[in-house]
Amino acid sequence: MPALAFPHRDAPAPGTVRELAPGVLWLRMALPFALDHINLWLLEDGDGWTLVDTGLGDEPTRALWTGIFADVMGTKPVRRVLVTHYHPDHAGNAGWLCARFAAPLWMTQAEYLTAHAVREGVAGYVPGAMLALFRANGLDDARHAQMAARGNLYRRQVPEFPGAYRRIMDGERIAIGGRDWRVIAGYGHAPEHAALYCEALGLVISGDMLLPSISTNVSVWAVDPEGDPLGQFLGSIRRFREMPADTLVLPSHGLPFRGAAERVRQLEAHHEARLAELMEACAEAPRSAAEVLELLFRRKLDTHQMFFAMGEAIAHLHFLERAGSLRRAVGADGVTRFSPATEKAWTSALTA
């Protein structure tokens, strides 16, 4: 099987850029998590710039941006701030950058509205809604208390957010620097993630939809408690197979790479293996999401990671339920557990 190709073996140092193609500059900013960085993109746009993603809204990231303004961008204006999705490492400085440059925010509608909903804690994003979902899926008291102490982390990492935006949509072609960039919407990781494909340059800014070495988080959220984000994600990434084999993929985390179709195959195989293991575990005894965490995540998880791990465990169980392989039941303790739907031997839920 073909391996992924990594033409750039190291990342630009903080506060610097590297040109990957004419007018396409790569920046990297630090993150205070186990996933310790995010890649951002600066696109020459005629006599101005388009910024793609923004980093966390904290002082260290803004200090790095200030150096980029002086050393790289100069006096050329920012024409737009384009955010692939609402997560704080991507959207955290959107309000600050848009205000500083009097530039519009470009974003898909679902991502824009979700950012505001999460910041304000409304609808299914009300504080405690996710914890209630996790408790119903087996989260224990100790882990519940640790997560509850976090408060509204999103609002701290996205301290301000624009009150208006320019909507972008799947299939739309955005002219940047005299070239077309086609919006490719993706689902499962976020409500309406926007990747950007430039056929003329032979590259795609994949955001979090296609990463070279880790599997993107796909979680069930309290706002959509019966959702199937894993099914949505796996359906979405198949679109990257349509691109030429030499397309350079610019991910939000990790190094740029070639081999999009192979990476899709790897991700499918990864999730297929986890699903098979879940089926075996649920055949032994009914399992809740909390009871399969150690099976899906074979490492010690901190509180931040546990939050996403619970959402992802629920997503995998929901996928198997949608495929007709598992069924759920709520026990006397109020916890939802899953067991095989039939006595029939399980076959691939990805191809069934």
Side-chain angles (χ1 to χ4, degrees):
M1 295 179 183
L4 305 184
F6 294 89
H8 306 277
R9 285 292 177 175
D10 55 350
T16 69
V17 301
R18 179 173 304 160
E19 188 171 51
L20 300 180
V24 179
L25 306 183
W26 173 20
L27 303 75
R28 177 168 284 194
M29 305 289 190
L31 296 176
F33 318 125
L35 184 60
D36 62 3
H37 70 274
I38 180 171
N39 299 322
L40 311 175
W41 315 100
L42 184 58
L43 308 180
E44 291 184 358
D45 195 358
D47 61 353
W49 299 99
T50 285
L51 312 183
V52 180
D53 286 339
T54 72
L56 283 182
D58 59 15
E59 289 308 315
T61 304
R62 292 182 178 184
L64 290 174
W65 267 120
T66 300
I68 296 293
F69 302 154
D71 299 336
V72 179
M73 295 169 58
T75 60
K76 294 166 63 174
V78 172
R79 300 202 171 280
R80 63 178 72 82
V81 176
L82 195 154
V83 174
T84 59
H85 60 298
Y86 82 96
H87 292 165
D89 49 337
H90 299 261
N93 286 305
W96 179 70
L97 288 166
C98 288
R100 182 183 182 108
F101 293 102
L105 172 67
W106 288 42
M107 207 168 180
T108 62
Q109 185 173 72
E111 299 298 328
Y112 175 78
L113 296 177
T114 300
H116 278 289
V118 178
R119 286 192 78 253
E120 300 304 323
V122 299
Y125 300 106
V126 64
M130 283 300 290
L131 296 182
L133 175 68
F134 292 167
R135 288 303 291 267
N137 283 272
L139 185 71
D140 61 75
D141 290 342
R143 287 169 171 169
H144 179 278
Q146 291 169 354
M147 290 186 189
R150 287 161 37 108
N152 191 334
L153 184 61
Y154 187 87
R155 193 177 183 93
R156 297 198 297 273
Q157 295 173 340
V158 188
E160 61 270 309
F161 202 70
Y165 78 118
R166 196 284 202 183
R167 183 182 183 182
I168 60 176
M169 300 179 69
D170 184 42
E172 179 177 355
R173 295 181 181 273
I174 303 171
I176 303 174
R179 301 181 182 91
D180 281 347
W181 294 73
R182 177 164 56 90
V183 177
I184 302 174
Y187 309 94
H189 174 65
E192 194 182 3
H193 181 293
L196 299 169
Y197 175 50
C198 182
E199 184 177 7
L201 291 175
L203 56 80
V204 59
I205 296 175
S206 64
D208 279 352
M209 289 301 293
L210 200 64
L211 304 176
S213 59
I214 60 174
S215 177
T216 302
N217 177 260
V218 283
S219 287
V220 171
W221 295 92
V223 72
D224 183 18
E226 300 302 316
D228 178 25
L230 179 56
Q232 294 171 352
F233 173 74
L234 292 170
S236 294
I237 61 175
R238 295 186 187 118
R239 300 181 69 181
F240 290 94
R241 290 175 173 162
E242 304 166 4
M243 299 172 187
D246 62 350
T247 299
L248 183 64
V249 181
L250 308 186
S252 292
H253 309 284
L255 298 173
F257 67 96
R258 291 189 172 93
E262 170 60 14
R263 185 57 184 148
V264 171
R265 189 205 64 76
Q266 292 174 2
L267 288 167
E268 290 173 339
H270 165 80
H271 287 289
E272 180 73 14
R274 300 289 83 75
L275 292 166
E277 291 171 340
L278 277 179
M279 284 300 303
E280 291 180 7
C282 292
E284 294 173 357
R287 309 281 184 173
S288 70
E291 290 167 338
V292 299
L293 286 175
E294 292 184 2
L295 178 66
L296 292 176
F297 304 95
R298 296 162 191 176
R299 63 186 186 278
K300 184 175 177 58
L301 302 173
D302 61 26
T303 301
H304 179 79
Q305 294 166 327
M306 181 63 65
F307 186 89
F308 294 103
M310 275 297 298
E312 186 149 349
I314 299 169
H316 279 73
L317 292 166
H318 281 195
F319 181 91
L320 288 166
E321 183 185 37
R322 291 284 184 95
S325 300
L326 290 180
R327 61 187 171 193
R328 74 174 73 188
V330 180
D333 58 359
V335 173
T336 298
R337 292 181 175 85
F338 294 79
S339 58
T342 68
E343 297 299 321
K344 200 169 65 171
W346 179 73
T347 57
S348 170
L350 293 181
T351 58

